[in-house]
Amino acid sequence: MIGQTLRISFRAIWAQKVRSILTMLGVIIGVAAVIALVSLGNGAQQSITSHIQSLGSNLIDVNVGYNPFAAGAAATTSSTPPTPPPPLTPSQVAQLGSTKGIVAAAPVMSGSATLAVGDNTLSSSLDGTSSAYASILQYHVAEGRFLSPLDVQAANPVIVLGSGDASSLFGAANPIGDIVTVNGIPLHVIGVLAAKPTSAGSNPNDFAVIPWTTYNQIFGDNGITTVDLSAAKSANVNNVVDRLEDKLLNWLGSSQDFTVTAQSQILSTLSAVDKVTTYLLGGVASISLIVGGIGIMNIMLVSVTERTREIGIRKAVGASTRDILLQFLVESLVLSGVGGLIGVAGGVAFSHVIGQALQSTAVVSVPMTIVAFAFALAVGLVFGLWPATRAALMRPAAALRVD
Amino acid sequence: MATLLALDHITKSYPMAGQEVPVLKGISFSVQEGEFVTIMGPSGSGKTTLMHILGCLDVPTQGEYHFRNMELAHLSEMQLTRVRREQIGFVFQNFNLLTTLNAVENVALPLIYQRISRQEQYRRAREALARVGLEHRLTYRPNQMSGGQQQRVAIARALVTRPPLILADEPTGNLDSQTGLEVLQLFKELSQEGHTIIMITHDHDVAKWGQRILEIKDGRIVADREVTA
């Protein structure tokens, strides 16, 4: 019986091809939009997540400097800029590093410099730091070695190249033992870092690292204002951040003079924001699905009116109210179901195309796809109910009288 | 012969512009099994309304309708559907075939609602089409057939459930006189095979094909006579 009802529905839909396709279009666009937008949202979320994770998800940043937005800071009415807080000393860095829950700490001075090998010059970012840097930021050494404590202590003229800088300056040749000049100062290349996967918007391989003491010799001593720390895997990051803040408050006296940022906190905030955005996009797209449902209802009402005589004939030969209700409901479900399937295909294809165009990955979420399709069916059911009821409740005598 | 159906003081009125307009004003008659009755009357006499009540497509305002041992006048829509499905075959003036279905599918239509297998539906539909002489037109759509052929498909559809009663409303009204005669000949044969037929017409020459003529005028039966050959 259901099989025959389905056949009748497909036939009725096929008999009005153009109209049926136009009707389905609403559902097709709705489902495709939901899937494509959610996929792109998921893709963006994944690329943000992987970018932050590539920095090290245990990473905690300490910045010393005036931060007017610090939580709990007293609102100041004065318009004069406050005096900057004093930079940290190497022993304070060591004390931060020995905080419970912290496994490594490295001062980081960041800037850009002109690197040159012979006539080949390159403008690159340059970090002055210590030996712990590689483990904190999860860099591996591909060739040679990383900075040693001795290099820092003695301010040795050495440099470790990121894989991007190494290939820009030396091509395929092995740079170990060669000389690179940094702003004219010659430094020995002692190591090359292994490449990290690039993610949207940034390349973690185009840079170079030198001892922070050497950095101070080249650029002048501005003190340590940034420290990168690595929390133990087992540590509760929030507690560790609290302990670091206590120490800094103790030294500097004002919570406006420093900032402690945990990557994991940023990560969870960003992915929460991204999740909300994704659902918001999906929600907006599902509005178009509902509009598509109204389209189905509209055309089903027209169809019921047009087929009044057919309904009369079917009732005369023995179709019950339920038979007619079922027939029109199935018809509207077929419209929304076929539209939904085409929409799923379109949405998946569309998210891949857009993903490639934007060079971000589109991650098609299977549960979301099922939800979108089920939603399309539900829309067909809900919006088919009224027209089907109208058809089912027609009086056969009245229906047969219609021309 | 047993009585198939009996109407007892059936009235029907329709609300029109706030007033109840009576269409049938107390109709009483009975039909025996195997009879071929024609109901004749001018347009507006209420004969189509009478057919709708006889066919359980509508319910009377008042009165009683006995069909076999059932009382139909006050049944629910669901029960009326069952009576239509199992007891009555309809033939309409304008054929009322579904244009999207071919001949076999049109004839099989009543069987879909009897929940029998597709093979059986088609077997019986082909059989009914063969009975009306259309075994060579099985897959033709209504618009590929002449009026006479379409009406024979409609008759096959009325026969396919082997109903105790066949109701025909002006079955020759849309046909030229030659094909009309062929259709009437078919009804006569069906009658001779034992089918009970009630045929509605405004045409005296058509009415004569029955064994008995009921004349209806202004919602009342004004004559009830046997046809003498």
Side-chain angles (χ1 to χ4, degrees), chain B residues 37-209:
Chain B
V37 179
T38 55
I39 296 173
M40 192 178 75
S43 54
S45 58
K47 53 188 194 305
T48 296
T49 302
L50 179 58
M51 188 192 96
H52 284 161
I53 287 171
L54 284 170
C56 290
L57 292 169
D58 212 340
V59 286
T61 309
Q62 272 178 333
E64 284 177 17
Y65 178 11
H66 301 283
F67 190 98
R68 291 188 157 168
N69 46 11
M70 296 177 282
E71 165 52 50
L72 304 186
H74 308 290
L75 291 186
S76 70
E77 176 56 33
M78 215 167 83
Q79 291 163 311
L80 290 176
T81 300
R82 255 189 86 174
V83 176
R84 283 200 297 273
R85 187 156 64 211
E86 291 163 7
Q87 313 284 345
I88 296 161
F90 288 95
V91 179
F92 299 95
Q93 176 175 1
N94 50 11
F95 324 135
N96 274 342
L97 299 175
L98 295 187
T99 51
T100 52
L101 305 183
N102 65 30
V104 186
E105 290 164 334
N106 262 297
V107 174
L109 195 63
L111 299 176
I112 290 178
Y113 300 112
Q114 296 201 349
R115 314 284 195 271
I116 60 178
S117 77
R118 245 165 81 79
Q119 287 98 322
E120 178 68 6
Q121 285 173 25
Y122 278 49
R123 194 187 63 72
R124 281 167 65 175
R126 278 193 297 270
E127 206 177 272
L129 277 168
R131 171 64 197 86
V132 299
L134 285 177
E135 61 271 40
H136 56 293
R137 289 285 185 272
L138 298 180
T139 57
Y140 281 49
R141 295 277 177 92
N143 57 12
Q144 296 168 307
M145 289 186 282
S146 70
Q149 287 172 333
Q150 289 186 53
Q151 193 59 298
R152 281 192 283 162
V153 172
I155 292 168
R157 183 179 65 189
L159 287 174
V160 79
T161 58
R162 302 175 192 129
L165 174 64
I166 293 174
L167 275 178
D169 184 8
E170 299 271 15
T172 59
N174 282 16
L175 302 176
D176 61 66
S177 53
Q178 183 52 43
T179 32
L181 282 179
E182 285 167 25
V183 166
L184 289 171
Q185 186 58 43
L186 182 55
F187 275 113
K188 190 170 185 177
E189 287 167 27
L190 292 174
S191 166
Q192 282 159 359
E193 287 164 22
H195 286 98
T196 312
I197 300 168
I198 299 179
M199 186 165 75
I200 285 164
T201 180
H202 67 279
D203 186 338
H204 186 72
D205 290 333
V206 171
K208 279 192 306 193
W209 283 76

Side-chain angles (χ1 to χ4, degrees), chain A residues 21-328:
Chain A
I21 286 168
L22 288 176
T23 309
M24 278 183 217
L25 211 53
V27 176
I28 292 172
I29 291 172
V31 170
V34 169
I35 290 173
L37 289 176
V38 170
S39 302
L40 288 176
N42 282 344
Q45 188 176 349
Q46 278 207 358
S47 82
I48 290 171
T49 309
S50 72
H51 174 58
I52 289 175
Q53 275 171 346
S54 78
L55 294 175
S57 54
N58 299 323
L59 180 65
I60 298 175
D61 259 350
V62 169
N63 272 287
V64 174
Y66 179 64
N67 171 19
F69 305 110
T76 51
T77 48
S78 95
S79 59
T80 52
T83 49
L88 298 173
T89 64
S91 81
Q92 282 175 322
V93 173
Q95 282 182 54
L96 287 176
S98 62
T99 306
K100 188 177 170 227
I102 293 288
V103 291
V108 178
M109 291 145 191
S110 299
S112 60
T114 306
L115 277 54
V117 176
D119 291 338
N120 193 0
T121 63
L122 173 72
S123 179
S124 165
S125 17
L126 183 70
D127 280 355
T129 185
S130 71
S131 56
Y133 181 91
S135 74
I136 294 169
L137 292 172
Q138 298 181 351
Y139 278 101
H140 297 283
V141 175
E143 284 176 78
R145 62 175 180 86
F146 197 68
L147 306 175
S148 71
L150 198 68
D151 289 328
V152 176
Q153 209 180 351
N156 281 341
V158 293
I159 185 165
V160 175
L161 299 173
S163 63
D165 276 17
S167 63
S168 296
L169 290 168
F170 292 96
N174 186 348
I176 306 292
D178 269 326
I179 301 283
V180 171
T181 61
V182 175
N183 286 6
I185 314 282
L187 301 175
H188 278 280
V189 178
I190 55 167
V192 175
L193 299 174
K196 275 195 190 185
T198 57
S199 55
S202 76
N203 188 330
N205 301 314
D206 292 348
F207 80 119
V209 185
I210 61 176
W212 66 269
T213 45
T214 312
Y215 190 95
N216 282 352
Q217 286 178 354
I218 299 173
F219 296 95
D221 190 348
N222 291 316
I224 299 164
T225 54
T226 302
V227 181
D228 281 2
L229 303 111
S230 175
K233 282 212 157 46
S234 56
N236 178 329
V237 172
N238 290 335
N239 293 345
V240 174
V241 167
D242 284 348
R243 282 182 215 121
L244 293 171
E245 283 176 343
D246 285 347
K247 281 189 180 171
L248 290 159
L249 189 62
N250 206 15
W251 295 333
L252 302 170
S254 162
S255 63
Q256 279 182 303
D257 283 344
F258 61 86
T259 321
V260 179
T261 324
Q263 291 290 350
S264 62
Q265 291 172 329
I266 296 181
L267 185 65
S268 62
T269 309
L270 276 181
S271 46
V273 168
D274 214 73
K275 199 167 254 170
V276 169
T277 314
T278 302
Y279 285 137
L280 205 68
L281 286 174
V284 170
S286 53
I287 290 174
S288 65
L289 204 47
I290 291 175
V291 173
I294 295 172
I296 290 187
M297 177 159 71
N298 189 18
I299 225 63
M300 289 303 294
L301 284 173
V302 171
S303 175
V304 166
T305 309
E306 277 181 355
R307 286 152 69 192
T308 301
R309 176 169 284 274
E310 177 191 329
I311 295 163
I313 295 169
R314 287 184 184 274
K315 286 200 156 189
V317 302
S320 66
T321 306
R322 233 182 99 232
D323 291 327
I324 301 291
L325 183 81
L326 201 67
Q327 183 192 332
F328 281 89

Side-chain angles (χ1 to χ4, degrees), chain A residues 358-373:
Chain A
L358 297 180
Q359 295 192 327
S360 82
T361 41
V363 181
V364 176
S365 133
V366 174
M368 196 58 215
T369 305
I370 293 169
V371 166
F373 181 67

